[in-house]
Amino acid sequence: MTRAHTLTEKVALSMLAREGIAAIWQLHMAAANAHQTGHPAAADAMLEIAQAAEAAWLRAEGVREFAP
């Protein structure tokens, strides 16, 4: 795991803890806005964080689903 990937995951987890699953939607909306306003690098970064947040959410869902 690279340092950037670790930072992305830390940001994603922090956002999930603060905003819940809504963070994923907010990141996608912010990325679309950044892309439309001519900031493709920022849009890519937000999408990467959104994907990390979604992956973390799905991992957590799996844990809850199989918990006794």
Side-chain angles (χ1 to χ4, degrees), residues 1-65:
M1 185 178 313
T2 66
R3 183 168 189 236
H5 189 66
T6 302
L7 178 59
T8 299
E9 287 183 343
K10 285 181 182 179
V11 171
L13 291 173
S14 175
M15 292 184 76
L16 278 173
R18 207 175 45 246
E19 303 293 328
I21 196 169
I24 298 168
W25 178 252
Q26 292 166 352
L27 283 162
H28 279 285
M29 295 302 294
N33 185 49
H35 181 73
Q36 289 174 346
T37 58
H39 303 282
D44 288 344
M46 285 183 255
L47 287 175
E48 187 176 339
I49 295 167
Q51 290 170 348
E54 185 174 356
W57 182 267
L58 291 172
R59 282 192 307 271
E61 280 294 308
V63 170
R64 284 192 290 264
E65 184 177 309

